[in-house]
Amino acid sequence: LPFQSELRLGELVLPSVAQAVLNFVLSIAVLATGGTLVALAAAGLIAITVQSVWVACLSWPFAGPWRAAFASASRRRWRALAREAWPVGAASTLKMAWQQGPVLILGAYSLGATGLFHAANRIPQQLVVLPLAMNATMFPLLARSWNDSRDRFARHLDRLVGGSLFVVVPCVVFGVAIAGPLVRVLLGHEFSAAATPYALLLVTAGLIFPIIFLAEALNAAGYQRLNLLLLVGLTPPMTALVLVLASRSGTTGVAIALLAAYAAYLAALVGAACFRLGRAAPVSALGASMLAAAA
């Protein structure tokens, strides 16, 4: 967090690369020697431990305020932090449920359909890493500009949403257009049935880009409870829709349910941004991208 707030995330690249390389090497060694599943899990644990110790060493210069933070005079700050942070944690938990819950529901009906869903979601799932990586840098900038200059906040958010969608919309349209051939090339003819779910999940991944940015903009502006309220209200209908469509249409049904749920979430976030952020809401960028997608 100190590196994120000071825009020094580059210093964490080496520990992250080391963790990935070490995890890969140890996992290959376990598989080559016929190791057990426990040994494979231990390989991942060792890699994570090395990364954590490395990051802790890099973070040690920031440790002075941490030691003083546990003094009795500072406990009020911890209570205030907990009061403001719990909605973010609860919303993150619900978002994880949105990602994993449909897979669990689908698995209760058919393991084959679950495998098909994972195959279809392989590329869309990787695309979501991009807005998460961008958000790690943009959140401190949005939080700072909301307090210092609302005009700068509006420019940051509009350029972030508009610029990302300028790249994402053509990629999604192109990916949907070549869904059939692409799935057969990457996964083989036995997974050709994954083409339609892949196309639907790719559109869903495109919706997740502005969703992440708008949700974090609300958090940066201090409206994290509103974001949580939207998720709480949308989770029951999303779950019901997944249950119905999973039983009727399998993998494609779950993909349709997720697309509908994230579209509703995006619409709710746009309404919340217009209501709470006012002229800082990136309505023009969203409208332009929708027109571009339609064209």
Side-chain angles (χ1 to χ4, degrees), residues 3 8 11-15 52-62:
F3 293 107
R8 294 166 54 187
E11 297 184 29
L12 301 180
V13 171
L14 283 179
S52 300
V53 171
W54 194 338
V55 171
C57 293
L58 292 176
S59 304
W60 187 249
F62 301 99

Side-chain angles (χ1 to χ4, degrees), residues 118-144:
H118 280 299
N121 200 31
R122 183 170 299 177
I123 295 176
Q125 197 172 40
Q126 298 304 317
L127 290 177
V128 179
V129 174
L130 297 177
L132 291 174
M134 295 169 62
N135 180 65
T137 297
M138 287 307 303
F139 180 79
L141 295 176
L142 289 173
R144 183 185 305 166

Side-chain angles (χ1 to χ4, degrees), residues 134 138 153-165 282 285:
M134 295 169 62
M138 287 307 303
F153 177 91
R155 289 196 301 271
H156 282 329
L157 185 57
D158 192 67
R159 290 173 181 174
L160 179 64
V161 174
S164 62
L165 290 179

Side-chain angles (χ1 to χ4, degrees), residues 88-149:
V88 179
S92 299
T93 303
L94 283 176
K95 290 176 183 177
M96 187 62 66
W98 278 42
Q99 295 175 15
Q100 303 300 329
V103 179
L104 296 175
I105 293 172
L106 187 60
Y109 290 103
S110 170
L111 290 179
T114 305
L116 196 65
F117 181 88
H118 280 299
N121 200 31
R122 183 170 299 177
I123 295 176
Q125 197 172 40
Q126 298 304 317
L127 290 177
V128 179
V129 174
L130 297 177
L132 291 174
M134 295 169 62
N135 180 65
T137 297
M138 287 307 303
F139 180 79
L141 295 176
L142 289 173
R144 183 185 305 166
S145 60
W146 177 259
N147 292 315
D148 296 343
S149 172

Side-chain angles (χ1 to χ4, degrees), residues 23-275:
N23 186 30
F24 177 78
V25 171
L26 292 178
S27 298
I28 292 297
V30 170
L31 294 174
T33 57
T36 64
L37 185 61
V38 173
L40 194 61
L45 179 61
I46 291 172
I48 283 287
T49 301
V50 170
Q51 180 190 21
S52 300
V53 171
W54 194 338
V55 171
C57 293
L58 292 176
S59 304
W60 187 249
F62 301 99
W66 300 350
R67 291 190 293 267
F70 290 96
S72 58
S74 301
R75 289 173 186 168
R76 292 189 303 275
R77 298 178 183 176
W78 287 99
R79 286 195 293 268
L81 176 63
R83 185 170 58 252
E84 297 300 324
W86 77 263
V88 179
S92 299
T93 303
L94 283 176
K95 290 176 183 177
M96 187 62 66
W98 278 42
Q99 295 175 15
Q100 303 300 329
V103 179
L104 296 175
I105 293 172
L106 187 60
Y109 290 103
S110 170
L111 290 179
T114 305
L116 196 65
F117 181 88
H118 280 299
N121 200 31
R122 183 170 299 177
I123 295 176
Q125 197 172 40
Q126 298 304 317
L127 290 177
V128 179
V129 174
L130 297 177
L132 291 174
M134 295 169 62
N135 180 65
T137 297
M138 287 307 303
F139 180 79
L141 295 176
L142 289 173
R144 183 185 305 166
S145 60
W146 177 259
N147 292 315
D148 296 343
S149 172
R150 300 294 168 86
D151 291 334
R152 190 184 307 127
F153 177 91
R155 289 196 301 271
H156 282 329
L157 185 57
D158 192 67
R159 290 173 181 174
L160 179 64
V161 174
S164 62
L165 290 179
F166 180 78
V167 177
V168 170
V169 169
C171 291
V172 169
V173 172
F174 180 72
V176 171
I178 64 168
L182 183 64
V183 167
R184 286 192 292 272
V185 169
L186 294 179
L187 304 176
H189 288 279
E190 61 271 22
F191 283 98
S192 58
T196 299
Y198 158 78
L200 294 168
L201 292 170
L202 189 62
V203 176
T204 303
L207 295 178
I208 290 177
F209 273 71
I211 283 174
I212 289 176
F213 298 142
L214 287 174
E216 287 302 301
L218 289 174
N219 290 342
Y223 298 115
Q224 58 267 42
R225 288 171 176 78
L226 178 56
N227 185 33
L228 175 61
L229 184 63
L230 297 179
L231 283 169
V232 169
L234 289 171
T235 297
M238 186 274 288
T239 305
L241 190 60
V242 169
L243 284 168
V244 172
L245 294 182
S247 62
R248 294 184 177 182
S249 304
T251 304
T252 301
V254 171
I256 292 173
L258 287 174
L259 177 58
Y262 279 101
Y265 185 27
L266 177 58
L269 280 173
V270 171
C274 292
F275 177 64

